[in-house]
Amino acid sequence: MSTPASRTGEQATTHTPVALIAFAWTLVGVPLAYGLYNTIKAASALFG
Amino acid sequence: MAVPAFLARDRIVAKPGFNRWLIPPAALAVHLCIGQAYATSVYKTALVEHFDASLTAIGIIFSIAIVMLGLSAAVFGTWVDKNGPRAAMFTSAVFWVSGFLVGSLGIYTNQLWLLYLGYGFLGGIGLGIGYISPVSTLIKWFPDRPGLATGMAIMGFGGGALIASPLSRQLMNWYDANYDPAVAGTVPSGNAVAGLFLTLGLIYLVFMMFGAFIVRVPAANWRPDGFDPSTVKAKSLVTTENVSANNAIKTPQFWLLWTVLFCNVTAGIGILEQAAPMIQDFFREGDTSTVLAATAAGFVGLLSLFNMAGRFVWSSTSDYIGRKPIYMVYLGVGIILYVILATLGSTATWIFVLTAAIIISFYGGGFATVPAYLRDLFGTYQVGAIHGRLLTAWAAAGIVGPLIINGVLDARGTPGQLVAGDYRPALFIMVGLLAVGFVANLLIKPVAEKWWEPKQTDIPTTAAEPERSTVR
């Protein structure tokens, strides 16, 4: 899913560490999963 | 208004090789925090008891925040576009967190006006700036999938409430041992809510600052590998030109889209506002509802899920079928669903739940798709500022939607004795509103050439203050 930027001009290139991307997604993904779990648990009462 | 150097747009221009998939979590870090605004109901009763105030007096806190959201997004939109996402996210974090800290002080010292000032006024400014802060940046990083990109971020706003609701209950349980969220009727103390505000403020500070410091803007002329802008132009409503925010609001397209958003949001709020009592009233036998309170709470949870999922799924779908057609679905299918809800909704629970859930997914989808629609019509130059001004439709719908539903229900009877038939007038008013929105969407055509900015190199990605159009 990585899409590196195309090289333009004479600027130095960079490399985004995969670990940083994974950390960033985990940081937002874990709370979201927590919220989803709790909401699905609450919504399950509708079908209980 | 200048910003400190470490926040400046110039400092966050990505070097070649930067991976754009770091941008969505930066946007989500902000939107997941400010989405807490939809979770205020978890401590509303506690504040009523703590301040010995009416529901209306406490409800004003949220109303001030939403009005400030609309106003600040409209007023600071151009500033956000000029100074870039880091300055905007940082500023949003300062206001949003200050709102919690001042609010916490207000609860501790028993001064309600501090909650109005803190959470309402300061927090509302943080909401408005934070909501629009990542939008134009995401559109520029994902010119090939703008709907997916903005859908991800704005999905976060819906997700923020899903996180904040259970987290708030848990934290208040820690701060007040007498409060048990599993036991109906227990209410946390005011000090527990003050502690909650303090804790949330600190958590949100960390998350939002993380987003602010990892966000980047693309360099001049940057394009994703394999992306050919000429393929985007192939769709009739998609422009490769740019229109300034000041000129955009002079076009009929802006006001038609404002009408579309207003109608879609008003109709959705009609259900969201009354979700729990509505399902109980639709299935009532005499004075007793066949739907238990816990089941009604489950229905509210289900709507939250569809609200969030709709933001991502429908907005992403719009990248394939186009923005105008997807709004025809939101509004046109929405009309049919509202009619089904009004006429057949009380015949079976599954019909009621399914139609309401899809309507709410369209409500969320409408929010998430609108930035990409603006990009299609007005280009990327000041899309954040234009989006900010369009969000006044949200503020207006936030007032009109509840007025319609509450006004109709007040006229029909008293809470606890209402039945499905009492909701019909309000639901048919929503059908009329959706029809107005549908027509407004049909009337949207490409923006006239006289509003375009003069051609120059790469306005969309880097120029903070490009040469102005002669059209004002």
Side-chain angles (χ1 to χ4, degrees), chain B residues 91-102:
Chain B
T91 307
S92 165
V94 169
F95 275 102
W96 184 234
V97 172
S98 299
F100 276 96
L101 300 184
V102 173

Side-chain angles (χ1 to χ4, degrees), chain B residues 186-244:
Chain B
T186 61
V187 178
S189 67
N191 281 352
V193 183
L196 168 73
F197 268 47
L198 199 58
T199 311
L200 287 181
L202 295 175
I203 293 171
Y204 291 153
L205 180 67
V206 173
F207 266 77
M208 293 174 83
M209 288 302 173
F210 175 76
F213 284 95
I214 64 170
V215 77
R216 296 287 184 277
V217 292
N221 301 320
W222 179 86
R223 299 281 181 269
D225 285 344
F227 174 63
D228 178 5
S230 63
T231 59
V232 176
K233 180 61 184 166
K235 293 171 187 165
S236 62
L237 266 184
V238 182
T239 185
T240 53
E241 303 298 332
N242 289 287
V243 180
S244 70

Side-chain angles (χ1 to χ4, degrees), chain B residues 168-194:
Chain B
S168 298
R169 288 192 195 97
Q170 186 62 59
L171 285 170
M172 289 189 294
N173 176 238
W174 286 346
Y175 295 141
D176 180 1
N178 294 321
Y179 168 64
D180 183 353
V183 177
T186 61
V187 178
S189 67
N191 281 352
V193 183

Side-chain angles (χ1 to χ4, degrees), chain B residues 66 82 102 124 176 178-179 289 300 308 418 448-449 454 459-460 467:
Chain B
I66 292 298
K82 181 182 171 188
V102 173
D176 180 1
N178 294 321
Y179 168 64
S289 174
V300 175
M308 192 184 81
L418 297 166
E449 193 175 338
I459 282 177
E467 186 182 326

Side-chain angles (χ1 to χ4, degrees), chain B residues 236-260:
Chain B
S236 62
L237 266 184
V238 182
T239 185
T240 53
E241 303 298 332
N242 289 287
V243 180
S244 70
N246 284 341
N247 281 337
I249 59 169
K250 295 172 188 166
T251 65
Q253 287 81 359
F254 176 88
W255 294 106
L256 287 168
L257 199 48
W258 193 98
T259 306
V260 166

Side-chain angles (χ1 to χ4, degrees), chain A residues 1-2 5-6 13-14 16 25 31 42, chain B residues 16 19 21 163 222-223 225 298 301:
Chain A
M1 90 180 174
S2 166
S6 304
T13 57
T14 186
T16 312
W25 278 101
Chain B
N19 191 315
W21 286 98
I163 299 168
W222 179 86
R223 299 281 181 269
D225 285 344

